[in-house]
């Protein structure tokens, strides 16, 4: 489960790490996610209602997707890149609601890829592809990445190594955007309260049992890494929104416990219930939080190449 041998050159979670989590089966996730299968923190501004209610969760997830498309400046004429497209909910909103006619989605999970393909979204090219291998033939007008950044480094890396890995990501994104083009990024991050706790058991549980090969960033690492390429023009700190989201997921999983155990067995069911309940506590105690960052590429400057010259950018 934790093997890095298939892709030893990769800085973060490997394909095997990702598939260990996401390919448990779409039917299991469908029991407790919203109907669009969005697997990331929702946006709860002005949304009330019971945590387990399907319509309430769907509304909050759609509000989040709409927010990111807006922050990335996506309109009907835009070319959109979704890095870590999951089961395709952002791509679906972009094509069906915004009217986007050209979008590319990247995932490392074959199960997610098969699902996105099955949606038959016009103008959407979904790929099982690491962003490090992505070579577009034209620039994008905007990029969205929700809940994937958490997988770009692994727990054994030092702070400097993490910054280097994140910088490589920002360099690639900047190379795929025009000057002043925007990247809307959402990620969980560690806070200083994580250190104050002096309790490694929860992060260790997550790294071992739930998200093998992945490690969380800190805001200072993101800021340092993106600075050569992007201005940070927007920042929301929404840890309370994640506490509410995981509460909704764990309530729904509990409500569907019989079906869930039939699908994945009692051990995996118990592991996911523990992970979702523990996550709520982690967000409520603010040991981790959720950031939504809007990043605007600096105006053109020397050394920042577009797709045709993206080989020149650090990988
Ligand atoms: C938590 S899911 C979020 C999915 C989706 N954005 C959402 O909000 O529902 C993380 C996604 O990131 C993808 N991912 C992780 N590392 C990646 C990488 N290096 N390149 C491309 N996709 C990656 C996973 O395959 C998965 O689709």
């Amino acid at each position: 489960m934790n093997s890095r041998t298939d892709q030893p050159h990769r800085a973060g979670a490997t394909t095997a790490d990702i598939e260990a989590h996401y390919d448990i089966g779409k039917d299991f996730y469908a029991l407790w996610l919203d109907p669009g299968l969005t697997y990331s923190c929702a946006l709860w501004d002005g949304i009330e209602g019971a945590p387990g209610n399907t319509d309430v969760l769907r509304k909050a997830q759609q509000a989040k997707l709409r927010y990111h498309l807006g922050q990335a400046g996506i309109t009907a004429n835009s070319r959109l890149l979704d890095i870590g497209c999951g089961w395709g909910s952002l791509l679906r909103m972009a094509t069906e609601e915004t009217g986007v006619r050209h979008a590319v989605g990247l995932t490392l999970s074959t199960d997610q890829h098969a699902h996105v393909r099955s949606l038959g979204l016009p103008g959407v090219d979904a790929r099982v592809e690491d962003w490090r291998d992505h070579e577009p033939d034209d620039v994008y007008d905007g990029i969205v990445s929700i809940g994937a950044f958490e997988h770009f480094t692994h727990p054994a890396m030092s702070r400097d190594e993490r910054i280097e890995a994140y910088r490589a990501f920002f360099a690639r994104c900047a190379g795929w955007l025009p000057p002043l083009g925007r990247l809307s990024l959402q990620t969980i991050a560690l806070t200083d309260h994580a250190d104050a706790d002096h309790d490694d058991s929860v992060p260790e549980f997550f790294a071992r049992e739930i998200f093998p090969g992945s490690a969380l960033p800190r805001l200072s690492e993101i800021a340092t890494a993106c600075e050569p390429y992007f201005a940070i023009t927007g920042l929301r700190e929404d840890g309370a929104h994640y506490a509410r989201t995981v509460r909704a997921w764990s309530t729904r999983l509990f409500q569907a416990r019989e079906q869930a155990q039939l699908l994945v067995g009692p051990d995996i069911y118990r592991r996911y219930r523990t992970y979702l309940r523990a996550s709520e506590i982690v967000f409520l105690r603010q040991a981790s939080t959720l950031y939504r960052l809007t990043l605007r590429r600096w105006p053109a400057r020397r050394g920042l190449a577009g797709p045709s010259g993206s080989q020149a950018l650090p990988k």
Side-chain angles (χ1 to χ4, degrees), residues 18 22 38-40 84 86 107-108 112 129-132 146-148:
I18 293 291
Y22 296 101
T38 302
Y39 191 21
S40 51
T107 175
L108 295 184
Q112 293 181 335
E129 188 175 85
D130 197 308
W131 59 263
R132 298 168 184 90
I146 304 172

Side-chain angles (χ1 to χ4, degrees), residues 134-139 171-177 229 297 301-315:
H134 188 53
E135 294 292 346
D137 19 299
D138 205 350
V139 289
R172 300 285 287 176
C173 290
W176 297 327
L177 286 169
Y229 305 101
R297 211 198 104 163
R301 59 162 122 158
R302 237 160 24 100
L304 202 56
S308 57
S310 60
Q311 295 294 357
L313 294 168
K315 275 203 176 191

Side-chain angles (χ1 to χ4, degrees), residues 34 78 144 156 189 233 250 268 277 284:
D34 67 303
S78 302
V144 175
T233 61
S250 80
I268 292 185
R277 299 301 297 274
L284 287 176

Side-chain angles (χ1 to χ4, degrees), residues 2-312:
N2 217 348
S3 161
R4 311 196 49 74
T5 50
D6 58 338
Q7 293 159 312
H9 59 296
R10 295 305 196 205
T14 62
T15 303
D17 292 331
I18 293 291
E19 292 194 338
H21 186 86
Y22 296 101
D23 290 4
I24 282 180
K26 186 191 74 192
D27 294 347
F28 171 63
Y29 287 98
L31 292 175
W32 48 280
L33 297 179
D34 67 303
L37 297 177
T38 302
Y39 191 21
S40 51
C41 176
L43 185 61
W44 294 94
D45 290 349
I47 297 175
E48 301 299 334
N53 182 287
T54 303
D55 279 342
V56 172
L57 180 59
R58 186 205 332 246
K59 253 191 222 158
Q61 288 295 11
Q62 291 189 332
K64 181 266 303 291
L65 300 174
R66 220 168 269 130
Y67 170 84
H68 283 289
L69 289 169
Q71 292 304 110
I74 300 300
T75 63
N77 294 324
S78 302
R79 286 172 53 89
L80 163 70
L81 175 64
D82 181 5
I83 301 176
C85 65
W87 285 283
S89 57
L90 182 99
L91 295 168
R92 186 170 192 163
M93 175 170 281
T95 52
E96 292 181 354
E97 191 175 289
T98 316
V100 165
R101 293 182 296 275
H102 183 97
V104 175
L106 309 181
T107 175
L108 295 184
S109 152
T110 49
D111 189 66
Q112 293 181 335
H113 175 250
H115 179 73
V116 181
R117 294 284 297 261
S118 77
L119 297 175
L121 301 172
V124 168
D125 176 8
R127 304 180 185 183
V128 180
E129 188 175 85
D130 197 308
W131 59 263
R132 298 168 184 90
D133 300 322
H134 188 53
E135 294 292 346
D137 19 299
D138 205 350
V139 289
Y140 294 101
D141 297 295
I143 302 176
V144 175
S145 186
I146 304 172
F149 200 83
E150 295 90 330
H151 297 299
F152 296 170
T153 60
H154 63 78
M157 291 168 80
S158 67
R159 178 184 165 86
D160 285 351
E161 288 169 333
R162 282 198 300 275
I163 289 173
E164 199 184 319
Y166 299 142
R167 187 164 287 160
F169 170 73
F170 289 121
R172 300 285 287 176
C173 290
W176 297 327
L177 286 169
L180 306 181
R182 283 180 279 165
L183 160 64
S184 193
L185 177 70
Q186 171 168 319
T187 183
I188 304 171
L190 289 176
T191 69
D192 279 354
H193 285 272
D195 301 332
D197 264 359
H198 296 297
D199 178 2
D200 288 340
S201 59
V202 173
E204 272 169 18
F205 166 76
F206 284 114
R208 189 180 61 243
E209 305 282 344
I210 307 295
F211 293 109
S214 299
L216 295 178
R218 284 169 186 271
L219 185 59
S220 60
E221 295 166 2
I222 300 173
T224 305
C226 78
E227 204 280 331
Y229 305 101
F230 288 98
I232 300 175
T233 61
L235 175 64
R236 283 186 62 135
E237 189 274 321
D238 278 339
H241 290 237
Y242 223 147
R244 194 161 165 197
T245 305
V246 287
R247 184 175 186 79
W249 290 341
S250 80
T251 303
R252 293 166 63 74
L253 179 57
F254 182 68
Q255 285 164 352
R257 59 194 175 282
E258 282 173 20
Q259 248 181 304
Q261 292 184 67
L262 280 178
L263 275 175
V264 297
D267 285 351
I268 292 185
Y269 165 75
R270 247 195 316 274
R271 183 142 51 88
Y272 270 72
R273 270 282 286 172
T274 307
Y275 138 56
L276 294 174
R277 299 301 297 274
S279 298
E280 186 183 351
I281 294 165
V282 165
F283 286 116
L284 287 176
R285 290 176 67 174
Q286 302 182 28
S288 296
T289 192
L290 189 279
Y291 290 116
R292 310 190 216 255
L293 294 111
T294 309
L295 306 172
R296 190 187 62 217
R297 211 198 104 163
W298 295 115
R301 59 162 122 158
R302 237 160 24 100
L304 202 56
S308 57
S310 60
Q311 295 294 357

